[in-house]
Amino acid sequence: MKLILLGAPGAGKGTQAEVICQRLNIPAVSTGNLLREAVKNQTELGKAAQSYMEKGELVPDELVIRMLQARLEEADCAQGFILDGFPRTVPQAEALEQLGIRIDRVIDLEVSDEEITQRMSGRRVCESCGASYHLAFKPTRAAGVCDKCGGKTVLRKDDQPETVQERLRIYHRQTEPLIDYYRKQNKLYTVNGHSDLAVTTARTLEALEAQA
Ligand code: AMP
């Protein structure tokens, strides 16, 4: 199964990706996490991507496409994968096709801008392993400490309120056209992401099991 999770930043893609990943036993590939890792390690890619990310802008297509291609060639992706945060532009979706990657299903997590803005302020991410939490909806067991690795959980630089507004503008302009793109290919399943986590997860799993 090759899946894409679409949705605005903060819609809950990462959280749903984790659930699906366990259910289907395929890896979740988050371009945001891969890029943050590259920035942390100050690789060539990380240095090139850093300023775009801090401003909430998209990293140029060619850099992200090259990075993703390398990741998908790894052995654990052979049976399928879930893409979280990719594609974010129509050229990125076209690049997947040019690489001969046939996507089976696209799940669009629909959440309003107002809700996103509210949610992002409570989002926390582990500095060490990238695991994602939320102060209200998915808290860590001990405050500020990652459940998975014991690392420190922090507010991402690009989750600051002004940056969130810029990311939402970019989402509407550059990423939202993908909804139509995949609808036309009959691959789109829309999930209302406004409810609490358990309900959204149940809806996501339904979308996964629905007959194509
Ligand atoms: P995310 O964790 O998915 O919200 O991504 C965080 C940041 O990484 C974004 O605001 C972009 O700067 C960058 N990024 C992640 N995925 C992509 C992508 N597919 N194309 C361009 N930039 C990306």
PDB file of all heavy atoms in Angstrom, residues 31-32 35-36 52-53 56-59 64 85-86 88 92 156 158 167, ligand 1:
ATOM      1  N   THR A  31       8.673  14.081   5.209  1.00  0.00           N
ATOM      2  CA  THR A  31       9.750  14.924   4.646  1.00  0.00           C
ATOM      3  C   THR A  31      10.143  16.008   5.649  1.00  0.00           C
ATOM      4  O   THR A  31      11.308  16.384   5.722  1.00  0.00           O
ATOM      5  CB  THR A  31       9.326  15.547   3.296  1.00  0.00           C
ATOM      6  OG1 THR A  31       7.995  16.043   3.408  1.00  0.00           O
ATOM      7  CG2 THR A  31       9.426  14.551   2.175  1.00  0.00           C
ATOM      8  N   GLY A  32       9.177  16.487   6.463  1.00  0.00           N
ATOM      9  CA  GLY A  32       9.502  17.476   7.488  1.00  0.00           C
ATOM     10  C   GLY A  32      10.520  16.901   8.479  1.00  0.00           C
ATOM     11  O   GLY A  32      11.515  17.552   8.808  1.00  0.00           O
ATOM     12  N   LEU A  35      13.911  16.502   6.825  1.00  0.00           N
ATOM     13  CA  LEU A  35      14.576  17.803   6.670  1.00  0.00           C
ATOM     14  C   LEU A  35      15.087  18.324   8.008  1.00  0.00           C
ATOM     15  O   LEU A  35      16.199  18.848   8.096  1.00  0.00           O
ATOM     16  CB  LEU A  35      13.612  18.815   6.038  1.00  0.00           C
ATOM     17  CG  LEU A  35      13.341  18.610   4.537  1.00  0.00           C
ATOM     18  CD1 LEU A  35      12.136  19.425   4.085  1.00  0.00           C
ATOM     19  CD2 LEU A  35      14.568  18.990   3.707  1.00  0.00           C
ATOM     20  N   ARG A  36      14.280  18.154   9.066  1.00  0.00           N
ATOM     21  CA  ARG A  36      14.732  18.626  10.388  1.00  0.00           C
ATOM     22  C   ARG A  36      15.989  17.867  10.830  1.00  0.00           C
ATOM     23  O   ARG A  36      16.895  18.439  11.414  1.00  0.00           O
ATOM     24  CB  ARG A  36      13.617  18.486  11.435  1.00  0.00           C
ATOM     25  CG  ARG A  36      12.627  19.659  11.403  1.00  0.00           C
ATOM     26  CD  ARG A  36      11.608  19.585  12.525  1.00  0.00           C
ATOM     27  NE  ARG A  36      10.630  18.532  12.286  1.00  0.00           N
ATOM     28  CZ  ARG A  36       9.575  18.655  11.486  1.00  0.00           C
ATOM     29  NH1 ARG A  36       9.352  19.775  10.859  1.00  0.00           N
ATOM     30  NH2 ARG A  36       8.739  17.653  11.298  1.00  0.00           N
ATOM     31  N   TYR A  52      14.627  28.373   4.597  1.00  0.00           N
ATOM     32  CA  TYR A  52      13.247  28.233   4.099  1.00  0.00           C
ATOM     33  C   TYR A  52      12.355  27.739   5.232  1.00  0.00           C
ATOM     34  O   TYR A  52      11.263  28.241   5.451  1.00  0.00           O
ATOM     35  CB  TYR A  52      13.160  27.214   2.953  1.00  0.00           C
ATOM     36  CG  TYR A  52      13.907  27.609   1.708  1.00  0.00           C
ATOM     37  CD1 TYR A  52      15.155  27.061   1.423  1.00  0.00           C
ATOM     38  CD2 TYR A  52      13.360  28.516   0.814  1.00  0.00           C
ATOM     39  CE1 TYR A  52      15.840  27.414   0.268  1.00  0.00           C
ATOM     40  CE2 TYR A  52      14.036  28.878  -0.341  1.00  0.00           C
ATOM     41  CZ  TYR A  52      15.280  28.322  -0.610  1.00  0.00           C
ATOM     42  OH  TYR A  52      15.947  28.670  -1.740  1.00  0.00           O
ATOM     43  N   MET A  53      12.840  26.727   5.933  1.00  0.00           N
ATOM     44  CA  MET A  53      12.010  26.105   6.969  1.00  0.00           C
ATOM     45  C   MET A  53      11.720  27.079   8.103  1.00  0.00           C
ATOM     46  O   MET A  53      10.601  27.136   8.599  1.00  0.00           O
ATOM     47  CB  MET A  53      12.698  24.850   7.505  1.00  0.00           C
ATOM     48  CG  MET A  53      12.777  23.768   6.456  1.00  0.00           C
ATOM     49  SD  MET A  53      13.718  22.372   7.013  1.00  0.00           S
ATOM     50  CE  MET A  53      12.577  21.627   8.152  1.00  0.00           C
ATOM     51  N   GLY A  56       9.001  29.274   7.335  1.00  0.00           N
ATOM     52  CA  GLY A  56       7.728  28.613   7.053  1.00  0.00           C
ATOM     53  C   GLY A  56       7.485  28.437   5.565  1.00  0.00           C
ATOM     54  O   GLY A  56       6.376  28.116   5.139  1.00  0.00           O
ATOM     55  N   GLU A  57       8.537  28.681   4.760  1.00  0.00           N
ATOM     56  CA  GLU A  57       8.382  28.521   3.298  1.00  0.00           C
ATOM     57  C   GLU A  57       8.704  27.084   2.898  1.00  0.00           C
ATOM     58  O   GLU A  57       9.322  26.343   3.655  1.00  0.00           O
ATOM     59  CB  GLU A  57       9.363  29.460   2.580  1.00  0.00           C
ATOM     60  CG  GLU A  57       9.009  30.912   2.794  1.00  0.00           C
ATOM     61  CD  GLU A  57      10.093  31.848   2.278  1.00  0.00           C
ATOM     62  OE1 GLU A  57      11.090  31.381   1.695  1.00  0.00           O
ATOM     63  OE2 GLU A  57       9.924  33.063   2.495  1.00  0.00           O
ATOM     64  N   LEU A  58       8.323  26.745   1.669  1.00  0.00           N
ATOM     65  CA  LEU A  58       8.647  25.403   1.191  1.00  0.00           C
ATOM     66  C   LEU A  58      10.098  25.348   0.726  1.00  0.00           C
ATOM     67  O   LEU A  58      10.611  26.300   0.139  1.00  0.00           O
ATOM     68  CB  LEU A  58       7.734  25.017   0.021  1.00  0.00           C
ATOM     69  CG  LEU A  58       6.250  24.859   0.347  1.00  0.00           C
ATOM     70  CD1 LEU A  58       5.496  24.352  -0.871  1.00  0.00           C
ATOM     71  CD2 LEU A  58       6.046  23.916   1.525  1.00  0.00           C
ATOM     72  N   VAL A  59      10.740  24.229   0.986  1.00  0.00           N
ATOM     73  CA  VAL A  59      12.086  23.974   0.483  1.00  0.00           C
ATOM     74  C   VAL A  59      11.934  23.684  -1.021  1.00  0.00           C
ATOM     75  O   VAL A  59      10.948  23.059  -1.432  1.00  0.00           O
ATOM     76  CB  VAL A  59      12.687  22.760   1.250  1.00  0.00           C
ATOM     77  CG1 VAL A  59      14.032  22.359   0.697  1.00  0.00           C
ATOM     78  CG2 VAL A  59      12.780  23.092   2.741  1.00  0.00           C
ATOM     79  N   VAL A  64      13.867  18.523  -2.231  1.00  0.00           N
ATOM     80  CA  VAL A  64      12.996  17.605  -1.480  1.00  0.00           C
ATOM     81  C   VAL A  64      12.776  16.320  -2.283  1.00  0.00           C
ATOM     82  O   VAL A  64      12.763  15.222  -1.721  1.00  0.00           O
ATOM     83  CB  VAL A  64      11.643  18.289  -1.177  1.00  0.00           C
ATOM     84  CG1 VAL A  64      10.788  17.408  -0.298  1.00  0.00           C
ATOM     85  CG2 VAL A  64      11.860  19.609  -0.501  1.00  0.00           C
ATOM     86  N   GLY A  85       3.491  14.831   4.440  1.00  0.00           N
ATOM     87  CA  GLY A  85       4.149  16.109   4.105  1.00  0.00           C
ATOM     88  C   GLY A  85       4.728  16.138   2.699  1.00  0.00           C
ATOM     89  O   GLY A  85       5.392  17.098   2.329  1.00  0.00           O
ATOM     90  N   PHE A  86       4.489  15.126   1.931  1.00  0.00           N
ATOM     91  CA  PHE A  86       4.916  15.059   0.535  1.00  0.00           C
ATOM     92  C   PHE A  86       3.853  14.298  -0.246  1.00  0.00           C
ATOM     93  O   PHE A  86       3.409  13.265   0.243  1.00  0.00           O
ATOM     94  CB  PHE A  86       6.258  14.332   0.414  1.00  0.00           C
ATOM     95  CG  PHE A  86       6.852  14.420  -0.982  1.00  0.00           C
ATOM     96  CD1 PHE A  86       7.844  15.340  -1.278  1.00  0.00           C
ATOM     97  CD2 PHE A  86       6.387  13.583  -2.002  1.00  0.00           C
ATOM     98  CE1 PHE A  86       8.373  15.425  -2.558  1.00  0.00           C
ATOM     99  CE2 PHE A  86       6.906  13.680  -3.278  1.00  0.00           C
ATOM    100  CZ  PHE A  86       7.900  14.590  -3.558  1.00  0.00           C
ATOM    101  N   ARG A  88       3.814  18.345  -1.678  1.00  0.00           N
ATOM    102  CA  ARG A  88       3.251  19.608  -1.193  1.00  0.00           C
ATOM    103  C   ARG A  88       3.012  20.565  -2.346  1.00  0.00           C
ATOM    104  O   ARG A  88       2.501  21.657  -2.146  1.00  0.00           O
ATOM    105  CB  ARG A  88       4.229  20.240  -0.222  1.00  0.00           C
ATOM    106  CG  ARG A  88       3.838  20.057   1.249  1.00  0.00           C
ATOM    107  CD  ARG A  88       4.718  20.963   2.030  1.00  0.00           C
ATOM    108  NE  ARG A  88       4.401  21.239   3.377  1.00  0.00           N
ATOM    109  CZ  ARG A  88       4.713  20.507   4.432  1.00  0.00           C
ATOM    110  NH1 ARG A  88       5.230  19.320   4.284  1.00  0.00           N
ATOM    111  NH2 ARG A  88       4.477  20.959   5.638  1.00  0.00           N
ATOM    112  N   GLN A  92       5.743  18.237  -7.318  1.00  0.00           N
ATOM    113  CA  GLN A  92       6.211  17.100  -6.497  1.00  0.00           C
ATOM    114  C   GLN A  92       5.369  15.855  -6.769  1.00  0.00           C
ATOM    115  O   GLN A  92       5.896  14.738  -6.825  1.00  0.00           O
ATOM    116  CB  GLN A  92       6.158  17.454  -5.006  1.00  0.00           C
ATOM    117  CG  GLN A  92       7.206  18.484  -4.589  1.00  0.00           C
ATOM    118  CD  GLN A  92       7.189  18.778  -3.092  1.00  0.00           C
ATOM    119  OE1 GLN A  92       6.555  18.072  -2.308  1.00  0.00           O
ATOM    120  NE2 GLN A  92       7.902  19.824  -2.685  1.00  0.00           N
ATOM    121  N   ARG A 156       8.298  23.933  17.994  1.00  0.00           N
ATOM    122  CA  ARG A 156       9.114  24.105  16.786  1.00  0.00           C
ATOM    123  C   ARG A 156       9.193  25.581  16.418  1.00  0.00           C
ATOM    124  O   ARG A 156       8.211  26.293  16.561  1.00  0.00           O
ATOM    125  CB  ARG A 156       8.480  23.345  15.623  1.00  0.00           C
ATOM    126  CG  ARG A 156       8.907  21.908  15.552  1.00  0.00           C
ATOM    127  CD  ARG A 156       8.050  21.087  14.649  1.00  0.00           C
ATOM    128  NE  ARG A 156       7.734  21.703  13.372  1.00  0.00           N
ATOM    129  CZ  ARG A 156       7.026  21.092  12.428  1.00  0.00           C
ATOM    130  NH1 ARG A 156       6.588  19.864  12.626  1.00  0.00           N
ATOM    131  NH2 ARG A 156       6.753  21.688  11.296  1.00  0.00           N
ATOM    132  N   ASP A 158       9.087  26.881  13.606  1.00  0.00           N
ATOM    133  CA  ASP A 158       8.085  27.225  12.586  1.00  0.00           C
ATOM    134  C   ASP A 158       6.656  27.021  13.087  1.00  0.00           C
ATOM    135  O   ASP A 158       5.712  27.167  12.328  1.00  0.00           O
ATOM    136  CB  ASP A 158       8.340  26.480  11.266  1.00  0.00           C
ATOM    137  CG  ASP A 158       8.314  24.979  11.407  1.00  0.00           C
ATOM    138  OD1 ASP A 158       8.315  24.471  12.551  1.00  0.00           O
ATOM    139  OD2 ASP A 158       8.285  24.291  10.375  1.00  0.00           O
ATOM    140  N   ARG A 167       2.627  29.647   6.833  1.00  0.00           N
ATOM    141  CA  ARG A 167       2.544  28.252   6.371  1.00  0.00           C
ATOM    142  C   ARG A 167       1.137  27.943   5.865  1.00  0.00           C
ATOM    143  O   ARG A 167       0.968  27.202   4.885  1.00  0.00           O
ATOM    144  CB  ARG A 167       2.952  27.288   7.493  1.00  0.00           C
ATOM    145  CG  ARG A 167       4.435  27.402   7.797  1.00  0.00           C
ATOM    146  CD  ARG A 167       4.791  26.683   9.070  1.00  0.00           C
ATOM    147  NE  ARG A 167       4.744  25.243   8.921  1.00  0.00           N
ATOM    148  CZ  ARG A 167       4.658  24.388   9.942  1.00  0.00           C
ATOM    149  NH1 ARG A 167       4.597  24.840  11.172  1.00  0.00           N
ATOM    150  NH2 ARG A 167       4.629  23.103   9.713  1.00  0.00           N
TER     151      ARG A 167
HETATM  152  P1  AMP B   1       6.217  19.608   8.218  1.00  0.00           P
HETATM  153  O1  AMP B   1       6.868  18.981   9.389  1.00  0.00           O
HETATM  154  O2  AMP B   1       5.684  18.607   7.240  1.00  0.00           O
HETATM  155  O3  AMP B   1       5.196  20.648   8.587  1.00  0.00           O
HETATM  156  O4  AMP B   1       7.377  20.396   7.421  1.00  0.00           O
HETATM  157  C1  AMP B   1       8.127  21.423   8.039  1.00  0.00           C
HETATM  158  C2  AMP B   1       8.801  22.279   6.979  1.00  0.00           C
HETATM  159  O5  AMP B   1       9.676  21.466   6.179  1.00  0.00           O
HETATM  160  C3  AMP B   1       7.855  22.926   5.980  1.00  0.00           C
HETATM  161  O6  AMP B   1       7.293  24.132   6.456  1.00  0.00           O
HETATM  162  C4  AMP B   1       8.796  23.142   4.800  1.00  0.00           C
HETATM  163  O7  AMP B   1       9.660  24.226   5.015  1.00  0.00           O
HETATM  164  C5  AMP B   1       9.625  21.868   4.824  1.00  0.00           C
HETATM  165  N1  AMP B   1       9.021  20.772   4.035  1.00  0.00           N
HETATM  166  C6  AMP B   1       8.533  19.576   4.485  1.00  0.00           C
HETATM  167  N2  AMP B   1       8.067  18.828   3.481  1.00  0.00           N
HETATM  168  C7  AMP B   1       8.254  19.567   2.354  1.00  0.00           C
HETATM  169  C8  AMP B   1       7.954  19.341   0.983  1.00  0.00           C
HETATM  170  N3  AMP B   1       7.365  18.215   0.557  1.00  0.00           N
HETATM  171  N4  AMP B   1       8.284  20.325   0.108  1.00  0.00           N
HETATM  172  C9  AMP B   1       8.878  21.473   0.505  1.00  0.00           C
HETATM  173  N5  AMP B   1       9.180  21.754   1.779  1.00  0.00           N
HETATM  174  C10 AMP B   1       8.880  20.808   2.707  1.00  0.00           C
END
